[in-house]
Amino acid sequence: MSRASEKAYDTIREMIISGELAPGDSLGEEALAELCQVSRTPVREALRRLEAEMLIHRTDTKRTYVADWSLDDIADVFELRAMLEGHAASRAAERIDDETLSDLRACNARIGAAVQSSPPDTERFLEGNRDFHALILETAASRRLTGLLGALIEQPVIWRTAHHYGMDELRRSHQEHEELLAAFARRDPAWAQSIMAGHIRRAFHAYADAHRGLVAIDGARRNRAKRAKKA
Amino acid sequence: MSRASEKAYDTIREMIISGELAPGDSLGEEALAELCQVSRTPVREALRRLEAEMLIHRTDTKRTYVADWSLDDIADVFELRAMLEGHAASRAAERIDDETLSDLRACNARIGAAVQSSPPDTERFLEGNRDFHALILETAASRRLTGLLGALIEQPVIWRTAHHYGMDELRRSHQEHEELLAAFARRDPAWAQSIMAGHIRRAFHAYADAHRGLVAIDGARRNRAKRAKKA
DNA sequence: CTACGCAATTTTGTATACAATAGGATGCGT
DNA sequence: ACGCATCCTATTGTATACAAAATTGCGTAG
């Protein structure tokens, strides 16, 4: 997308992810346009994209609100991701060439380095993780699959939690990636699929474990926002 | 969506599905606006939707063309549908109540009637089939899953072929639905999933078998369109 | 006091005008 | 004659003005 449109999308998205806009908040096009310093036209385009990604919700009367995510919704996303990324891993195992395999190895090596540095470099971990999964998805070579997963991986709740991973979680991820590489090296689709599905499901449980704590943090943040509004 | 936006979407979509716009054709916003009798604004919205559904394709330079579907692409769609609708069936089997079950039975009874009438009532079959699958999807109760499948089932190639189903294909579909109902009655998720995945995969092979013939028909239609353009 | 309905205001949808950008054509230089 | 640069045209992106629709609030009647 082009400049203004992208700007609106990024701005609104960031505000939702950061919690500046809380679930249930009403989103008027004009107000958003002013916030983003663009006109309503690109705002509308941004809202359509965000709606497709289910970050926002539109009532039958065309009014838009920040979407509310229940734990069930989040479980849904992880379940679908496990299935689709598992499928991607399977297809990748059938199609991968030696060059891509070594790229993938290099990528996971970077992840390992980020994990072992002290303190662990979470940013670099996340960056490597994104690259790793993206490369597998690309190797799976299915435009539809890429499209469907795109709608799932761009999710705020996931990014909000990733920063709370502990050292052990990070190490475990790195280890699972190594297993995945072994499966790819053997060109074993079923194995790759199993590892990947497990990898995602484990991530979900890590999330769910941390959830109660996060809810508390979330509550505090929202209260803060509420107080700010009053003033 | 509202009136003009919907009109543009329907018009363009219909032209693509009918083949009036052939794969690779360039789509200028202004030209489309005139065709649809609306301004460029709703046309742009329609194009975004069609892009999300992968009916059209946008180059890096923002120019839009009618998407080209290879057999691989189509195989992709069916593969993903098999996976996702299988998952939907599994979830539905866990959640279905007696009332929905009998609704589903009634729906398949209508399908059976459409198949057994002579000649088979393909329209009614397709309508019942849509309802049947939609009801299962609804019972699966996953908004994300519904969203993802929505992007897959609204595909032109599939509707274009459905009309070519033979009597035996229709009967087979009806029979597979019956098996699905049995799995639902027993609340057996794995069974339901297996039947559904097989159901979709069989449909793909029926499509692929008919494909060569369809390519010929397609070619004829395009030639006709080309001649029409010359005149 | 409540409930219903109408009107005023806010909000979204559509059209059009204007700006930016990509593609193509033409002409000049080698 | 071939290639490159520049200008012109065509197409897309953005802003704004206007129209339609919806919600809210007020007034009135039961």
Side-chain angles (χ1 to χ4, degrees):
Chain A
M1 291 282 161
S2 36
R3 209 177 109 259
S5 196
E6 195 72 20
K7 184 177 176 183
Y9 173 78
D10 289 342
T11 306
I12 299 168
R13 186 168 185 281
E14 199 51 44
M15 288 177 72
I16 293 174
I17 292 175
S18 74
E20 201 168 339
L21 292 169
D25 278 5
S26 171
L27 299 170
E29 293 178 358
E30 197 130 18
L32 292 174
E34 192 165 359
L35 269 171
C36 303
Q37 307 261 26
V38 297
S39 85
R40 271 180 57 214
T41 311
V43 167
R44 286 172 66 84
E45 289 204 11
L47 288 177
R48 296 288 146 58
R49 282 177 69 185
L50 292 164
E51 185 191 2
E53 291 169 15
M54 302 191 79
L55 266 91
I56 67 176
H57 169 255
R58 314 187 74 199
T59 66
D60 50 357
T61 164
K62 318 295 184 190
R63 227 135 258 195
T64 63
Y65 299 90
V66 178
D68 203 357
W69 287 66
S70 69
L71 186 55
D72 277 356
D73 287 325
I74 295 163
D76 257 25
V77 170
F78 276 100
E79 195 168 353
L80 291 169
R81 271 190 71 197
M83 191 165 44
L84 292 172
E85 291 216 42
H87 183 61
S90 168
R91 288 180 58 108
E94 292 169 343
R95 289 168 173 74
I96 199 167
D97 57 36
D98 292 338
E99 193 192 329
T100 309
L101 189 55
S102 70
D103 286 350
L104 228 38
R105 283 205 179 95
C107 184
N108 201 40
R110 284 197 298 277
I111 291 174
V115 171
Q116 286 179 355
S117 70
S118 49
D121 186 340
T122 310
E123 277 315 321
R124 279 198 58 193
F125 170 86
L126 286 172
E127 185 190 322
N129 195 50
R130 256 196 303 275
D131 291 348
F132 191 85
H133 285 259
L135 195 48
I136 291 169
L137 190 52
E138 188 186 325
T139 307
S142 165
R143 296 212 305 271
R144 269 82 198 165
L145 183 54
T146 305
L148 294 184
L149 266 171
L152 291 177
I153 59 181
E154 292 291 330
Q155 295 302 358
V157 258
I158 291 155
W159 296 148
R160 249 193 271 174
T161 38
H163 289 279
H164 301 294
Y165 275 176
M167 176 70 174
D168 46 345
E169 298 291 344
L170 299 176
R171 279 253 291 283
R172 190 102 170 247
S173 275
H174 176 252
Q175 184 55 38
E176 283 165 351
H177 287 178
E178 281 299 319
E179 284 199 56
L180 210 41
L181 287 170
F184 285 150
R186 302 295 183 97
R187 270 70 175 174
D188 185 332
W191 187 14
Q193 176 163 8
S194 303
I195 298 292
M196 181 63 96
H199 180 54
I200 306 283
R201 299 190 90 87
R202 187 191 53 69
F204 168 62
H205 291 295
Y207 169 80
D209 287 347
H211 187 59
R212 196 168 293 107
L214 281 170
V215 169
I217 294 169
D218 233 50
R221 182 163 41 65
R222 275 190 224 167
N223 286 341
R224 228 185 306 130
K226 233 172 191 169
R227 276 197 301 276
K229 262 182 200 168
K230 274 189 183 174
Chain B
M1 293 281 162
S2 36
R3 210 178 109 259
S5 197
E6 195 71 22
K7 183 177 177 182
Y9 173 78
D10 289 342
T11 306
I12 298 169
R13 186 168 187 282
E14 198 51 44
M15 285 177 74
I16 293 174
I17 292 175
S18 75
E20 203 168 338
L21 292 169
D25 277 6
S26 172
L27 299 170
E29 292 177 358
E30 196 131 17
L32 291 174
E34 191 165 0
L35 269 170
C36 303
Q37 309 259 26
V38 297
S39 85
R40 271 179 57 211
T41 311
V43 166
R44 286 172 66 84
E45 288 204 12
L47 288 177
R48 294 294 160 13
R49 281 177 70 185
L50 293 164
E51 186 190 3
E53 292 170 14
M54 303 192 78
L55 266 87
I56 66 176
H57 170 255
R58 314 187 73 200
T59 65
D60 49 355
T61 162
K62 318 294 183 190
R63 228 137 256 193
T64 64
Y65 300 90
V66 178
D68 203 358
W69 287 65
S70 69
L71 186 55
D72 277 356
D73 288 324
I74 294 162
D76 257 24
V77 170
F78 276 100
E79 196 169 352
L80 291 169
R81 271 190 70 197
M83 191 165 44
L84 293 172
E85 291 217 42
H87 183 61
S90 168
R91 288 179 60 107
E94 292 169 342
R95 289 168 174 75
I96 197 165
D97 57 37
D98 291 338
E99 193 193 330
T100 309
L101 189 55
S102 70
D103 286 350
L104 227 37
R105 283 206 178 96
C107 184
N108 201 40
R110 284 198 299 279
I111 291 174
V115 171
Q116 285 179 354
S117 70
S118 49
D121 187 340
T122 310
E123 276 316 321
R124 280 199 56 193
F125 170 84
L126 285 173
E127 185 189 321
N129 195 52
R130 257 195 302 274
D131 291 347
F132 191 84
H133 284 260
L135 195 48
I136 291 169
L137 189 52
E138 188 186 324
T139 307
S142 166
R143 295 213 305 272
R144 270 83 198 164
L145 183 54
T146 305
L148 294 184
L149 266 170
L152 291 177
I153 60 180
E154 292 291 329
Q155 294 303 357
V157 259
I158 290 154
W159 296 148
R160 250 193 271 174
T161 38
H163 289 279
H164 301 292
Y165 275 177
M167 175 71 172
D168 46 344
E169 298 291 344
L170 299 177
R171 278 253 291 283
R172 191 102 170 248
S173 275
H174 175 252
Q175 184 55 38
E176 282 166 352
H177 287 177
E178 281 299 319
E179 284 199 56
L180 210 41
L181 287 170
F184 285 150
R186 302 293 184 97
R187 269 71 176 174
D188 185 333
W191 187 13
Q193 176 164 7
S194 303
I195 298 292
M196 181 62 97
H199 180 53
I200 306 283
R201 299 191 89 87
R202 186 191 53 69
F204 169 63
H205 291 296
Y207 168 79
D209 287 348
H211 186 59
R212 195 168 293 106
L214 283 170
V215 168
I217 293 169
D218 232 50
R221 184 163 40 65
R222 274 190 227 166
N223 286 341
R224 227 185 306 130
K226 232 172 191 170
R227 276 198 301 278
K229 263 182 199 168
K230 275 189 182 174

